Amino acid sequence: MKAINFVTEISKIKPNKLEIKKNTDFSDEFIDAYINDLQIVKKSTNVSISADNAIIDLIFNYDLTNLRILTVSFNKDTDTLEDDKYIYVGWAEAFPFAILKETGEIVELDWEDPTYIISYMAKDQSSFLDILIEIEKLNQKDVFGSITKKEKKENLKQISIIAGGDKYSWFLSNFDNEEI
């Protein structure tokens, strides 16, 4: 998935406040905060980035300050740092995630020792954006609708296939036993 497609998909799946209020008893504050977490704004300046670098394109051409999908958030362009092994592009809870330069994979790193890979998140930048969309869809089913544990587990298996297979399933397994 390219950055522009990701932005379009997020806007398509952003929940409707009136629908949520009609079907749940969540407070206005909760609903507004949830919807605000899916806010992406195009920046006024455009930086030309290769389509292969979907996450980099997203970070440099869109304001992602409010964007949060479960525990995942992206760095600002000014916070997107790079060393000989990684391009640091965001956070999964308290752990940084980065593009592993050698393979193009998205990896979650230990914040105390960024040379240690905690988990492999996706086979490439495009797949990572794909799984974020699917995780958000699943999260909305879990929060605003109804989904069984069996359906949730099956959805997570499908998402791990999108991510690249079993190598990338550990990161997704974090969402199996908790509210997603």
Side-chain angles (χ1 to χ4, degrees):
M1 175 175 295
K2 295 178 183 172
I4 186 70
N5 303 108
F6 179 79
V7 172
T8 301
E9 287 300 310
I10 288 292
S11 70
K12 283 182 187 176
I13 65 172
K14 190 182 292 187
N16 177 293
K17 183 176 180 175
L18 295 176
E19 284 295 313
I20 295 170
K21 284 185 69 70
K22 185 169 85 174
N23 297 314
T24 70
D25 59 355
F26 290 114
S27 70
D28 284 346
E29 292 79 15
F30 174 83
I31 296 168
D32 289 341
Y34 191 99
I35 292 170
N36 190 53
D37 279 352
L38 297 174
Q39 186 70 31
I40 301 174
V41 178
K42 179 101 172 108
K43 292 180 180 176
S44 58
T45 57
N46 186 34
V47 178
S48 182
I49 308 279
S50 162
D52 296 343
N53 290 310
I55 292 174
I56 303 299
D57 185 11
L58 191 64
I59 290 170
F60 280 85
N61 288 307
Y62 296 89
D63 180 352
L64 307 174
T65 305
N66 294 324
L67 181 65
R68 178 180 276 304
I69 297 176
L70 290 178
T71 64
V72 175
S73 61
F74 290 94
N75 289 345
K76 294 179 183 178
D77 56 357
T78 54
D79 296 332
T80 302
L81 306 174
E82 154 174 20
D83 62 24
D84 57 325
K85 278 187 85 169
Y86 304 107
I87 303 171
Y88 300 89
V89 292
W91 293 86
E93 230 168 311
F95 298 98
F97 69 88
I99 301 164
L100 180 58
K101 288 180 174 182
E102 183 179 344
T103 63
E105 293 168 297
I106 310 306
V107 295
E108 183 180 20
L109 303 167
D110 184 334
W111 66 274
E112 289 182 338
D113 178 9
T115 62
Y116 179 74
I117 296 174
I118 294 173
S119 71
Y120 289 82
M121 300 168 83
K123 64 183 175 183
D124 57 34
Q125 294 180 53
S126 177
S127 298
F128 186 70
L129 297 183
D130 287 334
I131 68 167
L132 286 181
I133 294 294
E134 296 306 316
I135 288 170
E136 178 54 32
K137 288 178 184 177
L138 182 56
N139 186 47
Q140 288 182 30
K141 287 178 188 175
D142 206 20
V143 173
F144 301 121
S146 61
I147 188 168
T148 66
K149 284 190 175 259
K150 184 178 177 182
E151 291 169 325
K152 185 176 171 181
K153 190 178 282 284
E154 186 56 40
N155 277 307
L156 286 168
K157 283 181 191 173
Q158 293 303 314
I159 294 170
S160 79
I161 291 168
I162 295 168
D166 288 341
K167 180 178 182 179
Y168 308 97
S169 62
W170 188 87
F171 169 70
L172 295 169
S173 71
N174 291 321
F175 307 118
D176 194 19
N177 293 326
E178 59 186 65
E179 189 171 310
I180 186 164

